[in-house]
Amino acid sequence: MVSFRYEALDSNGAKVSGEIKANDLHAAESRLGERHLVPLYVVEAGSGTSKAAKPIASNGARPRKLKASIDEINDLLRSMQVMVRAGVPIVEALNTITEHASSPTMKIIANNLKTDMLEGLSFDQAMRKHPLVFPEIVCEMLAAADEGGQLGKALGGAIGYMEQRAQTKKAVTGALVYPVMLLSICIGTFLMFLVFILPTFGKTFEGLQVKLPATTTFLLALGGFLQKNFGLVFLGTIAGVVGLKFLLKIPSVATKVNAGLYRAPIFGKVMQQMAMARTMQTMGSLTATNIPIIRAIQFSGKVSGYPKLRTAMEVVEDRVQNGDSVAEAMQKSKIFNPMTIQLVSVGEKSGQLADLLTTSAEQLHGVAERKLKAALSLLEPLLILFMGLVVGLLTLSILLPLFTLNQSIK
């Protein structure tokens, strides 16, 4: 007989671990079932350092800062949900994903999760080692569910949260495609004219000794500078972008820039609405996995991204701890809209708080999308007007010297 190490949940939902002897893995799982234990993982004793448990990496070292798309993350979570609900131990599920994942990145991540669990970490602790892959809220949901033996349900909630996040990103990206395209065409046309077309006319005007207007003189000087110092301008642009990214990583600078964006005209209101939707979605997802409401409020405030809303959630947390209902605390903060407060109030009274928080998030997200479309419908004609002004300026920079030349000939 072989010794197997295991971790399982007993009939009260508490974690237990130990060793059990059996002829094979299937027999070990059967014996745990006879003891009314639900296995989280079962592995042959001493296999935690086996070759199969080592992370997959071309250089033999554990890869750091791995990234994955939302679709890849959802595929892993869905596979985990199906197998966990079918009673497959987590480590076995991760081993199956490692063998059959279509994405090399997810093979590495699944194998690293398995290795960390074999070394004694819980599922959520292993996931926290990949902060660029698994959002903190997903780890938080799975941590609470793992404690209560509701991992399958929590995985479903995590998938819903990730899908909502993907839909929001897709909506914003899709709405910005056309304005960004217009602006790019405008800038590209302007630079091409300055560097390649205007200098040709400049030489002609110089040969004819035409007096140039100030706008033409300025544009010729700018075009000449770009021609002679293209490499310097290119490197300067890259340095500026890198420097900006570095500055935005400084907490004090990032906080000020973030606060400024939320106060920006038109788009600031859209960002505020999206932050509110994100907060309600987070609260709903966490509450659905039986996380205590105080903990859900704390975490929801942290992920909001909107300083004023984060402060409001801290006030809500304090008032709920002092005996107020969530709806009463939200009403006193003066930042939540009446519909959200009403839905939360009904949810608390009916015992459907998680569902109605999610409904509130969907309603807020819908409002944010409509405001974004309205803002962009105003921005598009402004961009077209801007393009017209640029084209007009370039045209006049050529036509005015020609008019001057025509007058001198007469």
Side-chain angles (χ1 to χ4, degrees):
M1 299 183 79
V2 182
S3 291
F4 291 89
R5 289 190 294 111
Y6 70 85
E7 187 171 289
L9 297 174
D10 62 17
S11 56
N12 295 320
K15 279 187 180 181
V16 294
S17 59
E19 287 195 12
I20 190 171
K21 290 188 176 182
N23 292 327
D24 53 33
L25 182 62
H26 181 71
E29 292 174 356
S30 298
R31 292 194 63 185
L32 289 173
E34 291 171 1
R35 298 182 184 182
H36 304 290
L37 297 175
V38 179
L40 297 175
Y41 72 79
V42 182
V43 64
E44 187 174 338
S47 65
T49 56
S50 68
K51 183 178 179 181
K54 291 181 181 179
I56 304 168
S58 58
N59 60 1
R62 178 183 289 271
R64 296 179 182 270
K65 296 185 178 179
L66 289 167
K67 293 183 179 180
S69 68
I70 291 179
D71 288 339
E72 288 177 327
I73 299 168
N74 274 346
D75 286 343
L76 185 147
L77 294 176
R78 284 193 190 94
S79 299
M80 286 294 301
Q81 183 189 28
V82 170
M83 286 186 275
V84 166
R85 285 183 171 176
V88 179
I90 298 177
V91 171
E92 281 191 37
L94 289 170
N95 189 58
T96 302
I97 294 171
T98 301
E99 293 175 357
H100 300 289
S102 57
S103 164
T105 301
M106 296 318 294
K107 283 179 181 286
I108 295 171
I109 291 171
N111 197 72
N112 286 349
L113 292 175
K114 179 185 72 174
T115 302
D116 289 331
M117 290 193 69
L118 289 174
E119 291 174 355
L121 296 183
S122 64
F123 188 37
D124 67 283
Q125 288 171 336
M127 292 174 74
R128 290 178 203 272
K129 286 192 171 186
H130 302 279
L132 300 181
V133 177
F134 302 106
E136 182 67 19
I137 177 179
V138 171
C139 299
E140 196 76 9
M141 291 165 68
L142 297 180
D146 200 11
E147 293 171 6
Q150 296 184 342
L151 187 57
K153 181 179 178 181
L155 284 165
I159 292 167
Y161 173 83
M162 294 297 291
E163 287 177 343
Q164 182 63 42
R165 180 176 167 182
Q167 288 174 5
T168 302
K169 185 177 179 181
K170 185 177 179 180
V172 173
T173 303
L176 291 175
V177 167
Y178 184 62
V180 169
M181 194 188 322
L182 281 179
L183 190 59
S184 300
I185 292 171
C186 181
I187 294 173
T189 302
F190 181 71
L191 291 175
M192 187 178 296
F193 186 90
L194 279 182
V195 176
F196 299 107
I197 299 174
L198 192 58
T200 304
F201 285 94
K203 291 177 182 177
T204 303
F205 296 144
E206 185 180 350
L208 294 172
Q209 297 183 342
V210 179
K211 185 179 180 181
L212 301 177
T215 54
T216 307
T217 303
F218 171 75
L219 291 176
L220 280 170
L222 181 59
F225 176 80
L226 290 175
Q227 275 187 328
K228 293 176 183 178
N229 302 281
F230 177 78
L232 183 64
V233 171
F234 181 73
L235 291 175
T237 303
I238 293 176
V241 172
V242 173
L244 182 61
K245 285 186 175 181
F246 177 78
L247 282 174
L248 291 175
K249 289 182 179 179
I250 300 173
S252 58
V253 175
T255 300
K256 290 179 180 178
V257 171
N258 190 42
L261 289 174
Y262 279 102
R263 289 195 300 267
I266 304 175
F267 288 100
K269 293 291 184 182
V270 176
M271 292 179 63
Q272 291 174 22
Q273 205 77 23
M274 287 188 169
M276 190 74 72
R278 183 165 55 249
T279 299
M280 294 301 105
Q281 177 69 39
T282 303
M283 274 188 70
S285 299
L286 292 173
T287 306
T289 55
N290 296 328
I291 288 179
I293 189 62
I294 294 297
R295 191 171 168 187
I297 293 171
Q298 288 174 342
F299 199 83
S300 301
K302 290 178 183 177
V303 303
S304 68
Y306 179 25
K308 189 175 180 180
L309 180 57
R310 183 165 59 246
T311 302
M313 291 300 289
E314 290 173 358
V315 174
V316 169
E317 176 195 345
D318 183 61
R319 285 175 173 159
V320 171
Q321 286 179 328
N322 288 327
D324 283 357
S325 68
V326 178
E328 289 171 344
M330 291 171 71
Q331 190 167 22
K332 291 175 183 177
S333 67
K334 308 292 184 183
I335 192 174
F336 301 95
N337 64 43
M339 177 63 74
T340 299
I341 296 171
Q342 184 65 30
L343 287 171
V344 171
S345 177
V346 173
E348 286 185 293
K349 292 173 183 177
S350 64
Q352 296 180 320
L353 181 59
D355 291 338
L356 289 177
L357 281 168
T358 302
T359 301
S360 172
E362 292 171 354
Q363 185 259 341
L364 289 166
H365 186 264
V367 172
E369 280 193 354
R370 289 192 293 273
K371 285 186 176 181
L372 178 62
K373 289 178 181 177
L376 291 175
S377 67
L378 177 64
L379 180 63
E380 288 170 11
L382 290 176
L383 282 174
I384 293 172
L385 177 62
F386 175 71
M387 289 179 67
L389 291 173
V390 170
V391 171
L393 175 65
L394 297 177
T395 304
L396 286 175
S397 67
I398 295 176
L399 291 180
L400 287 176
L402 290 176
F403 289 147
T404 304
L405 179 61
N406 186 46
Q407 291 294 329
S408 64
I409 290 174
K410 289 181 178 181

